[in-house]
Amino acid sequence: MRVCSGWRRFLLCLPLIFFLPHIFSVLELHKNSTVNDLHKSHNKKFDHLVLGPAAGEGLHDRLQCQGTKALNKTHLSTSSGNFSFGESVAFVTFYAAYDSSVDRLVNGRLKDLVTVGNISYSKVERSMAILNVFVNFVQMTMPQSNIIILTDPASKLPLHRNRVSIYPIQGEYSRDKLMLQRIRSYITFLEARLEEHSQSQGHINHYIFTDSDVSVVDDLGQIFYNYPNIHLALTFRNNKEQPLNSGFIAVRGTPDGMLRAKVFLQEVLKVYGSKYMKASRMLGDQLALAWVVRSHPHFDAKRFARPQAFVEDISGASVLFLPCAIYNWTPPEGAGQFHGMPLDVKVVHFKGSRKRLMLESWNFLDSSSNISDMLCLILKSGRTKYDF
Ligand SMILES: *[C@@H]1O[C@H](CO)[C@@H](O)[C@H](O)[C@H]1NC(C)=O
Ligand SMILES: *[C@@H]1O[C@H](CO)[C@@H](O)[C@H](O)[C@H]1NC(C)=O
Ligand SMILES: *[C@@H]1O[C@H](CO)[C@@H](O)[C@H](O)[C@H]1NC(C)=O
Ligand SMILES: *[C@@H]1O[C@H](CO)[C@@H](O)[C@H](O)[C@H]1NC(C)=O
Ligand SMILES: *[C@@H]1O[C@H](CO)[C@@H](O)[C@H](O)[C@H]1NC(C)=O
């Protein structure tokens, strides 16, 4: 059990690593043949979607599904009407490209190809596909938003999309230092924006730093609108050891917001370097984040138990804590920690072996044009481990 939960944690943490050897997961038993098959072969990773039961069945505030048909409408909000013209939201994601040498040739053909829909992807192509689908979702739900990709100057990203820009940052991009480099890159980025901001007046660009294996399914501008006094926002869940997920950090684009977020992240970086270097490959940043928050004298960790947003001052920054269930929803793992999908879910996070599901759900949406139905597809198939 210990080994299992350790592996599970490993799996939660590093969206950039698509292939993890021999992952064992604990699946709940269901009286359902599909899921029983799944249980029998729990080492197996599937190369096609496997639908199981939808978590949260019968709960009135959770999405109810019939097959992949949604019985409820999920809310779609728009914040654009609320934003004054001088404000916008940009997404920032950290991306470390694989060296193309990982795509091995065997007898002149690429090995480890994975097919989604009618397209085959090599290892390198898979991570590009995730990035492209990330962009697709943002451009669908928040078409006014720009997307900024922080990356290694040495990598040449073959990504040419409107409103997407590449921002190279010098650093250490070895696989075991990626999470460390990610925080450093966030800090470097904020420093650069602070400098620019001091020269340009007026326009305010808020930043949401996310993993690239997330789908934004609702407008997120309302975070900044509804909480006008916060400097940054983090997502939390009811988990003793890792209550905070580092895959979503929102920063108010005022000089004050950016400065305090930068100082906050610098503290996280310091704690990471001094306490969690052994964990650097995977979850050091999340452990450091939790450490900084929890070590604050007035912080009451009991607040993580209830999925309700709250604001707390941490190291001079006003931090909004948002429930993962809505802002960082992960397909149920093991015991199904979120008990279904809230009707106002805004961000879906395809951690671990669920990247295939991210691509499949985009393809599904592309043909059905129905977000609620797509959410049913995700809810029902998210328990399965996929081949990427
Ligand atoms: C398995 O579950 C699915 C979804 O809940 C359902 O449609 C299907 O009929 C079930 N299969 C069996 C054999 O019970
Ligand atoms: C999506 O499908 C559901 C039922 O599956 C329906 O109630 C809803 O109106 C549809 N939404 C759109 C935007 O078509
Ligand atoms: C969602 O749909 C189910 C089934 O139609 C219904 O019982 C439930 O009340 C709906 N929930 C909301 C909040 O409308
Ligand atoms: C402004 O935001 C509030 C709260 O999110 C929402 O109820 C309202 O409809 C929004 N107004 C416009 C014009 O979008
Ligand atoms: C792949 O499928 C899509 C939609 O199903 C279709 O539009 C496209 O032409 C297909 N591509 C190829 C190469 O068959």
Side-chain angles (χ1 to χ4, degrees):
M1 193 61 208
R2 290 220 123 210
V3 175
C4 271
S5 62
W7 272 109
R8 181 127 42 81
R9 230 170 286 136
F10 178 36
L11 198 140
L12 299 185
C13 48
L14 222 186
L16 297 159
I17 293 185
F18 292 100
F19 299 93
L20 307 169
H22 311 300
I23 286 149
F24 300 92
S25 66
V26 186
L27 285 169
E28 271 187 313
L29 267 174
H30 293 278
K31 292 184 193 63
N32 186 304
S33 63
T34 330
V35 179
N36 274 339
D37 291 347
L38 205 88
H39 185 75
K40 273 186 223 131
S41 55
H42 63 272
N43 286 338
K44 188 172 169 189
K45 297 203 188 167
F46 287 82
D47 63 359
H48 58 274
L49 287 189
V50 177
L51 297 185
E57 209 173 311
L59 301 178
H60 84 282
D61 57 347
R62 299 289 146 142
L63 180 62
Q64 304 297 308
C65 307
Q66 206 159 60
T68 53
K69 271 282 168 210
L71 300 177
N72 307 96
K73 250 202 183 109
T74 48
H75 319 147
L76 270 190
S77 55
T78 50
S79 64
S80 354
N82 272 326
F83 266 134
S84 51
F85 284 113
E87 278 177 75
S88 53
V89 178
F91 286 81
V92 185
T93 192
F94 175 81
Y95 183 85
Y98 279 108
D99 185 324
S100 60
S101 65
V102 302
D103 279 345
R104 282 181 302 144
L105 285 174
V106 176
N107 298 333
R109 309 183 67 183
L110 281 173
K111 211 177 163 288
D112 301 327
L113 286 184
V114 159
T115 303
V116 181
N118 54 11
I119 303 176
S120 288
Y121 301 96
S122 69
K123 200 165 175 173
V124 171
E125 288 164 344
R126 265 168 260 181
S127 59
M128 278 316 293
I130 294 292
L131 198 54
N132 266 301
V133 170
F134 167 74
V135 171
N136 294 349
F137 273 101
V138 168
Q139 297 196 334
M140 178 192 65
T141 47
M142 300 179 68
Q144 308 299 318
S145 287
N146 290 320
I147 295 166
I148 299 152
I149 299 170
L150 310 182
T151 190
D152 183 352
S155 75
K156 288 171 187 56
L157 280 187
L159 188 75
H160 307 284
R161 307 271 309 254
N162 283 335
R163 290 190 167 273
V164 177
S165 54
I166 315 275
Y167 193 105
I169 292 175
Q170 287 294 347
E172 241 189 302
Y173 289 83
S174 60
R175 289 278 138 187
D176 59 336
K177 295 271 165 57
L178 279 187
M179 293 296 97
L180 202 58
Q181 181 56 42
R182 179 163 80 162
I183 305 185
R184 289 202 179 111
S185 294
Y186 287 0
I187 292 168
T188 304
F189 176 79
L190 287 171
E191 278 168 349
R193 289 295 137 126
L194 272 165
E195 214 154 280
E196 280 169 29
H197 198 91
S198 63
Q199 283 144 33
S200 77
Q201 304 292 313
H203 188 87
I204 290 174
N205 209 356
H206 305 297
Y207 296 107
I208 300 181
F209 296 85
T210 68
D211 288 350
S212 54
D213 59 348
V214 305
S215 295
V216 177
V217 295
D218 198 1
D219 196 311
L220 297 174
Q222 34 83 26
I223 296 172
F224 302 101
Y225 179 81
N226 291 342
Y227 299 89
N229 299 318
I230 57 135
H231 297 115
L232 72 149
L234 303 171
T235 56
F236 73 93
R237 58 202 167 192
N238 188 12
N239 176 321
K240 270 210 177 64
E241 282 151 68
Q242 293 172 62
L244 299 168
N245 181 269
S246 54
F248 183 103
I249 302 174
V251 174
R252 181 175 297 284
T254 55
D256 207 27
M258 290 191 287
L259 183 62
R260 285 168 205 247
K262 186 193 83 142
V263 170
F264 178 87
L265 289 176
Q266 279 169 328
E267 198 176 334
V268 172
L269 183 63
K270 205 173 79 197
V271 170
Y272 192 161
S274 66
K275 287 186 183 303
Y276 298 113
M277 273 317 279
K278 283 206 202 95
S280 70
R281 182 170 181 122
M282 31 223 206
L283 44 139
D285 60 336
Q286 293 192 167
L287 296 173
L289 200 56
W291 195 92
V292 167
V293 168
R294 278 202 286 231
S295 65
H296 197 264
H298 300 296
F299 190 78
D300 178 8
K302 284 202 210 78
R303 302 194 78 163
F304 289 145
R306 282 196 312 155
Q308 251 163 36
F310 61 95
V311 178
E312 195 73 53
D313 271 2
I314 310 279
S315 314
S318 175
V319 182
L320 169 64
F321 292 88
L322 295 166
C324 279
I326 294 172
Y327 291 89
N328 200 339
W329 191 90
T330 302
E333 286 149 352
Q337 56 181 326
F338 298 138
H339 311 295
M341 186 183 275
L343 295 170
D344 52 353
V345 64
K346 299 184 191 306
V347 178
V348 176
H349 195 162
F350 296 88
K351 291 178 193 161
S353 307
R354 298 191 184 82
K355 318 298 177 208
R356 162 180 289 278
L357 182 52
M358 183 171 175
L359 264 57
E360 301 260 17
S361 61
W362 174 260
N363 290 348
F364 179 90
L365 181 63
D366 207 27
S367 59
S368 73
S369 305
N370 191 309
I371 292 192
S372 307
D373 289 353
M374 179 200 71
L375 292 173
C376 276
L377 180 83
I378 294 170
L379 182 59
K380 292 194 132 189
S381 54
R383 242 173 225 280
T384 312
K385 305 287 179 206
Y386 294 107
D387 50 354
F388 96 97

